Amino acid sequence: MSQLDVHQIPVLTDNYVYLARCRVSGATAVIDPAVAAPVLAEADRLGWRITHILNTHHHGDHVGGNLEIQRATGCTIVGPKADRDRIPGIDVEVDEGDSTRLGEAQAEVFFVPGHTRGHIAYWFAESDALFCGDTLFALGCGRLFEGTPQQMWNSLSKLKALPPTARVYCAHEYTQANARFALTVDGANADLKARAQDIDRLRAVGRPTVPSTLADELATNPFLRADAPDLAAQIGLAGADPVSVFAEVRARKDSF
């Protein structure tokens, strides 16, 4: 097995595209290319040869660069089986329990619907690298465009079970806004208060807040803390089940 070198590329307004390169073979994946030109240029600058695209879901700001990159490189496009009809150029369909190889590196695939009906995530255990698209954000989670609170909580629970050292390579720089909201539902959380201050300092000088670690998310992300009694009590749902707490937090975020 091999570890990955991961390079982050900011594109559009707040998207992150990732280049992930197997250290042994040099095989390189683009994760969720919103656009092609800056990705191709950065791979060229680094001297990395793109061999794969890994898509987490079908939204245009995650697949918009698929076909142009594929034409330029001949790469293989891997994406969710449940969304195969909505992934441009898909070659390989994967689902829960499958694995996909990038050279000598291997990712486990999780089916994590909620944001969309076919969303998946890629977990490279050897590199502690989780590419989770729009299911989990730093201090947030994706809107429920095509799923239910129960589905999203089930999906997040899969990710919660990963090692706390996991680095969360989410697809957007939403963290500062997410922190402002999180404080409205979990304001008694000292870890969250401290993290929000750190985020403000980073963004003040234009530095990214992504990736975070799963340990940080478990301690401070209100969507992952829907099973925490103290959070439930803070929003007036003491004793409620986690799905009900999650649904309430998500509803508040939608109108924040």
Side-chain angles (χ1 to χ4, degrees), residues 58-99:
H58 76 282
H59 284 161
D61 63 332
H62 295 255
V63 302
N66 274 21
L67 296 181
E68 186 175 343
I69 293 171
Q70 189 179 51
R71 284 193 297 268
T73 66
C75 67
T76 298
I77 297 178
V78 182
K81 181 178 181 180
D83 256 352
R84 58 186 175 272
D85 295 333
R86 302 197 288 183
I87 303 295
I90 190 168
D91 298 301
V92 178
E93 304 167 8
V94 291
D95 203 348
E96 176 79 18
D98 289 338
S99 62

Side-chain angles (χ1 to χ4, degrees), residues 29-249:
V30 185
I31 293 90
D32 283 347
V35 291
V39 175
L40 292 169
E42 195 64 6
D44 185 63
R45 185 188 71 81
L46 293 167
W48 293 3
R49 184 175 67 87
I50 294 171
T51 56
H52 294 74
I53 290 172
L54 304 182
N55 289 135
T56 62
H57 65 295
H58 76 282
H59 284 161
D61 63 332
H62 295 255
V63 302
N66 274 21
L67 296 181
E68 186 175 343
I69 293 171
Q70 189 179 51
R71 284 193 297 268
T73 66
C75 67
T76 298
I77 297 178
V78 182
K81 181 178 181 180
D83 256 352
R84 58 186 175 272
D85 295 333
R86 302 197 288 183
I87 303 295
I90 190 168
D91 298 301
V92 178
E93 304 167 8
V94 291
D95 203 348
E96 176 79 18
D98 289 338
S99 62
T100 189
R101 295 190 69 86
L102 177 63
E104 297 302 312
Q106 181 169 295
E108 181 180 357
V109 176
F110 293 101
F111 180 52
V112 286
H115 179 62
T116 66
R117 68 172 188 255
H119 206 301
I120 59 175
Y122 301 89
W123 166 238
F124 287 87
E126 292 293 319
S127 298
D128 263 348
L130 173 66
F131 297 100
C132 50
D134 288 357
T135 294
L136 175 63
F137 295 129
L139 287 178
C141 77
R143 284 179 179 266
L144 306 186
F145 289 125
E146 299 179 358
T148 65
Q150 179 73 69
Q151 284 179 311
M152 185 60 112
W153 177 247
N154 290 346
S155 295
L156 292 174
S157 295
K158 293 179 186 179
L159 304 184
K160 277 165 60 83
L162 293 174
T165 51
R167 289 190 294 276
V168 179
Y169 291 98
C170 64
H172 290 275
E173 183 57 70
Y174 288 163
T175 318
Q176 192 170 39
N178 287 344
R180 287 195 291 269
F181 167 74
L183 288 167
T184 69
V185 293
D186 199 15
N189 186 332
D191 291 333
L192 173 59
K193 291 178 183 178
R195 187 178 178 192
Q197 292 176 350
D198 289 340
I199 289 163
D200 287 341
R201 284 193 287 268
L202 287 170
R203 297 309 293 157
V205 294
R207 293 179 58 189
T209 63
V210 177
S212 60
T213 66
L214 186 58
D216 285 342
E217 299 309 319
L218 291 170
T220 60
N221 187 324
F223 296 101
L224 294 191
R225 282 177 33 78
D227 55 356
D230 60 318
L231 175 61
Q234 288 184 79
I235 63 171
L237 289 177
D241 63 277
V243 174
S244 297
V245 175
F246 172 84
E248 175 64 19
V249 174

